């Protein structure tokens, strides 16, 4: 009896390489997800989904899209093995389109975050972890910038009596709107910011001052209703328990409000305001969310490029090895999302 | 017989084995859909067992889904023994990576976030300083008046 020497695994080299690559990818994502878990569960506070405009049904829909694309890849492989090139190409096309749908939905979701100033870092990010004097200073800075901007829009003659709007190229409506904005900016400053600053100046770190800063933050960006969020917000802002003065903002769910909703704040009603917002744990949330989903999206894009290249070839049985390799990679991308979806959307 | 012939033959043998099949894939697809809706259900207000049970349940569901994808879609169920060489070390590394993070999570969780946060606030780093240019402007202003 003679034994044969096998230099390597009993599979094509390409497949060996893909599996080796995937085993490193497992560790790559395990590291990222592990870090997320430590940060998420070690954090003092973590935003509830609606604090950061996460939509669970959209996330679930994307999970469904990726599962469908995984099926279409295996069907493409089956067809290619039987040398049904046209059918295989059709399934690859379906997979490609499903991948595009996933990315499109992801873009829509990112847009919802960006529209509310949920970026990981300045200068675009508006997120502050607690409503302290630094938050107040950021609000004042933005209000001042708005005043300058609106003042310039109104023009130098705005304050002069007898100013004739019709002379200007802009409509009277435009000036009315600018006037309205100026009034609102002044009101926010007078009703919310100044009392908080004054109370804190007279008695630094006073209970009243902290309550007033929280009121300012809630007026701009109300939290999702719920006792848990209220406790975390209170803890972050240095209260033993949620202050009774702010119960209406934090705990009680008004009649007619659905599960996990939040009230409309100044930023929601006036998108041009873009005032700094207070979300306990929000800074860490934006960092981890965009890192995890971003890396996953990059993997999806790489997969789409691979499918696009595949579609250039005739997909008969000689190409089944390549389809299998790309498919393995694509299933792995699906696998990562299977863990990311509950961790990011449902926990 | 050369090495390549061996591989070709192995490849063909694999094809001749009756595995996979569209019916099986569709069944797995159905199972994945059902499992996804199950983990989504934990999030609804009808879930009766509380938050922590929901987390455990969702992770169990995710692991089941991952196993289905790996076994059937990635064909590991029908592969020869080489599969262990590549998957076991990687899985060990990732599992240990997670385990090594557990003490960190545990230490923080036991305190409860309220108590922990007070401790953390007490020893927290100073908040960001005002920018130098702003300080300078203030000083100039004061000097001027």
């Amino acid at each position: 009896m003679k034994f044969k020497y096998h230099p390597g695994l009993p599979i094509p080299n390409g497949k060996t390489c893909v599996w080796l690559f995937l085993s490193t990818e497992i560790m790559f994502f395990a590291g990222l997800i592990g870090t997320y878990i430590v940060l998420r569960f070690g954090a003092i506070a973590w935003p509830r989904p609606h604090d950061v405009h996460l939509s669970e049904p959209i996330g679930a829909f994307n999970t469904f899209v990726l599962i469908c694309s995984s099926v279409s890849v295996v069907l493409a492989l089956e067809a290619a093995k039987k040398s049904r090139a046209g059918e295989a190409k059709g399934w690859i096309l379906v997979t490609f389109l499903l991948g595009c749908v996933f990315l499109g939905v992801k873009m829509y979701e990112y847009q919802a975050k960006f529209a509310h100033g949920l970026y990981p870092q300045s200068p675009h990010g508006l997120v502050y972890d607690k409503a302290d004097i630094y938050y107040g200073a950021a609000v004042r800075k933005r209000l001042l910038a708005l005043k300058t901007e609106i003042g310039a829009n109104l023009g130098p003659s705005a304050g002069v009596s007898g100013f004739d709007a019709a002379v200007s190229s802009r409509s009277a409506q435009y000036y009315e709107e600018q006037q309205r904005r100026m009034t609102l900016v002044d009101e926010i400053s007078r009703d919310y910011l100044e009392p908080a600053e004054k109370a804190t100046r007279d008695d630094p770190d006073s209970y009243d001052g902290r309550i007033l800063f929280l009121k300012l933050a809630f007026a701009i960006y109300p939290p999702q209703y719920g006792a848990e969020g209220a406790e975390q917000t209170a803890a972050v802002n240095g209260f033993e328990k949620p202050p009774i003065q702010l119960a209406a903002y934090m705990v009680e769910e008004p009649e007619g409000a659905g599960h996990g909703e939040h009230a409309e704040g100044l930023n929601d009603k006036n998108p041009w305001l873009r005032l700094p917002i207070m979300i306990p744990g929000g800074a860490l949330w934006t960092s981890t969310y965009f890192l995890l989903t971003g890396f996953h999206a990059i993997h999806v894009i790489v997969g789409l490029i691979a499918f696009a290249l595949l579609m250039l070839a005739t997909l008969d049985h000689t190409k089944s090895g390549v389809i299998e390799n790309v498919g393995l990679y694509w299933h792995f991308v699906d696998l990562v999302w299977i863990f990311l979806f509950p961790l990011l959307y449902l926990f | 017989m050369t090495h390549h012939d061996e591989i070709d033959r192995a490849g063909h043998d694999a094809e001749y084995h009756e595995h996979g099949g569209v019916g099986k894939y569709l069944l797995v697809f159905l199972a994945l859909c059902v499992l996804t809706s199950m983990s989504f259900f934990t999030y609804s207000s009808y879930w009766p067992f509380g938050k922590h049970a929901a987390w455990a349940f969702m992770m169990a569901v995710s692991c089941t889904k991952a196993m289905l994808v790996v076994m059937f879609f990635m064909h590991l169920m029908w592969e020869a023994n080489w599969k262990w060489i590549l998957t076991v070390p990687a899985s060990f590394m990732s599992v240990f990576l997670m385990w090594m993070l557990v003490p960190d999570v545990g230490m923080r969780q036991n305190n409860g976030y309220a108590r922990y946060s007070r401790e953390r606030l007490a020893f927290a780093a100073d908040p960001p300083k005002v920018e130098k240019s702003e300080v300078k402007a203030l000083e100039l202003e004061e000097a001027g008046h």
Side-chain angles (χ1 to χ4, degrees):
Chain A
M1 196 180 180
K2 239 181 141 183
F3 289 103
K4 268 206 190 75
Y5 171 65
H6 287 276
L9 300 177
I11 46 172
N13 285 341
K15 197 167 161 182
T16 313
C17 288
V18 168
W19 269 108
L20 270 176
F21 171 63
L22 290 187
S23 60
T24 65
E25 287 273 83
I26 293 172
M27 292 182 273
F28 173 75
F29 276 103
L32 284 179
I33 293 174
T35 314
Y36 170 79
I37 290 173
V38 168
L39 292 174
R40 159 79 174 80
F41 293 102
I44 309 165
W46 201 255
R48 269 81 58 230
H50 292 247
D51 284 340
V52 284
H53 299 272
L54 264 184
S55 165
E56 302 87 353
I58 291 181
F61 172 75
N62 251 356
T63 312
F64 178 70
V65 168
L66 273 195
I67 291 174
C68 289
S69 74
S70 261
V71 176
S72 57
V73 171
V74 277
L75 293 180
L77 178 59
E78 290 291 305
K81 273 181 181 169
K82 290 171 188 145
S83 269
R84 292 189 205 137
E87 195 186 325
K89 195 168 275 187
W91 284 122
I92 292 291
L93 180 67
V94 169
T95 315
F96 181 82
L97 292 178
L98 285 170
C100 290
V101 169
F102 179 89
L103 278 187
V105 172
K106 200 86 241 154
M107 268 170 66
Y108 170 77
E109 284 189 292
Y110 274 19
Q111 189 49 45
K113 318 271 177 300
F114 296 160
H116 290 91
L118 293 164
Y119 289 88
Q121 189 52 272
S122 59
H124 300 292
L126 302 179
V127 183
Y128 282 73
D129 270 319
K130 51 181 172 176
D132 53 7
I133 48 167
Y134 298 97
Y135 174 73
V139 174
R140 171 155 297 288
K141 203 171 164 189
R142 175 67 185 148
L143 286 178
L144 278 176
L146 279 171
K147 261 183 100 82
T148 316
E149 189 190 319
I150 300 167
N153 288 345
L154 281 169
S157 41
V160 182
S161 61
F163 169 68
D164 190 1
V167 175
S168 149
S169 59
R170 306 225 191 235
S171 67
Q173 231 173 356
Y174 174 82
Y175 285 100
E176 225 165 78
E177 169 63 17
Q178 296 300 318
Q179 243 351 308
R180 194 187 69 77
R181 290 186 178 189
M182 189 63 113
T183 317
L184 181 68
V185 166
D186 286 337
E187 273 174 11
I188 296 169
S189 191
R190 189 193 63 217
D191 296 346
Y192 293 105
L193 185 56
E194 271 162 25
E197 283 179 337
K198 188 175 177 301
T200 310
R201 185 195 63 203
D202 293 347
D203 183 4
D205 205 36
S206 67
Y207 186 83
D208 288 345
R210 281 184 291 147
I211 291 273
L212 286 168
F213 270 124
L214 261 188
K215 253 186 189 158
L216 167 73
F218 285 161
I220 292 169
Y221 195 84
Q224 179 181 331
Y225 299 112
E228 189 196 354
E231 265 169 45
Q232 292 188 7
T233 307
V236 169
N237 286 286
F239 295 99
E240 292 279 332
K241 53 178 188 269
I244 197 85
Q245 295 96 318
L246 297 167
Y249 284 107
M250 298 162 87
V251 190
E252 293 156 16
E253 210 162 300
E255 272 183 50
H259 177 63
E261 280 185 19
H262 65 88
E264 281 221 312
L266 288 164
N267 267 8
D268 292 311
K269 287 177 195 154
N270 311 281
W272 52 272
L273 268 177
R274 288 186 75 79
L275 288 170
I277 53 184
M278 190 270 297
I279 307 173
L284 206 50
W285 181 87
T286 46
S287 301
T288 49
Y289 173 82
F290 285 114
L291 188 76
L292 285 171
T293 57
F295 266 121
H296 182 260
I298 289 172
H299 279 77
V300 173
I301 291 170
V302 170
L304 289 185
I305 292 171
F307 287 128
L309 292 176
L310 263 186
M311 279 190 284
L312 298 177
T314 310
L315 302 177
D316 55 8
H317 72 278
T318 57
K319 282 281 182 291
S320 71
V322 184
I323 297 179
E324 185 179 6
N325 292 345
V326 176
L328 283 173
Y329 171 78
W330 191 251
H331 295 311
F332 177 79
V333 173
D334 181 22
L335 208 74
V336 171
W337 187 254
I338 283 176
F339 284 101
L340 286 188
F341 168 60
L343 281 171
L344 292 175
Y345 289 78
L346 305 178
F347 265 38
Chain B
M1 193 186 279
T2 64
H3 172 56
H4 283 280
D5 291 337
E6 281 286 291
I7 287 175
D8 276 352
R9 203 164 59 81
H12 279 292
D13 279 352
E15 273 175 46
Y16 295 144
H17 283 307
E18 268 304 309
H19 71 244
V22 176
K24 221 170 247 175
Y25 292 138
L26 290 181
L27 263 183
V28 173
F29 168 71
L30 269 183
L32 288 173
C33 289
V34 170
L35 285 167
T36 305
S37 50
M38 273 164 78
S39 61
F40 194 66
F41 164 69
T42 60
Y43 194 74
S44 75
S45 47
Y46 298 105
W47 174 259
F49 304 117
K51 193 172 73 179
H52 293 99
W55 289 349
F57 181 76
M58 275 190 273
M59 276 296 99
V61 166
S62 284
C63 289
T64 314
K65 281 165 73 179
M67 281 319 277
L68 282 177
V69 169
V70 170
M71 294 292 235
F72 292 94
F73 288 169
M74 296 171 95
H75 298 118
L76 267 198
M77 184 134 169
W78 302 292
E79 296 288 6
N81 279 337
W82 63 263
K83 62 189 171 192
W84 305 116
I85 301 170
L86 290 177
T87 50
V88 170
S91 309
F92 257 113
M93 297 280 268
S94 353
V95 169
F96 275 114
L97 181 68
M98 296 281 191
W99 267 7
M100 279 181 256
L101 298 173
V102 165
D104 200 10
V105 178
M107 288 286 283
R108 293 174 181 208
Q109 281 289 292
N110 284 341
N111 284 330
Y113 54 77
R115 195 142 60 91
Y116 170 69
S117 74
R118 274 201 296 284
E119 242 164 66
R120 182 157 165 169
L121 286 173
F123 298 108
D126 286 336
K129 291 281 187 303
V130 183
E131 274 177 40
K132 267 188 187 151
S133 56
E134 290 177 40
V135 174
K136 215 163 223 170
L138 272 178
E139 280 170 357
L140 282 175
E141 210 171 276
E142 276 169 20
H145 288 287

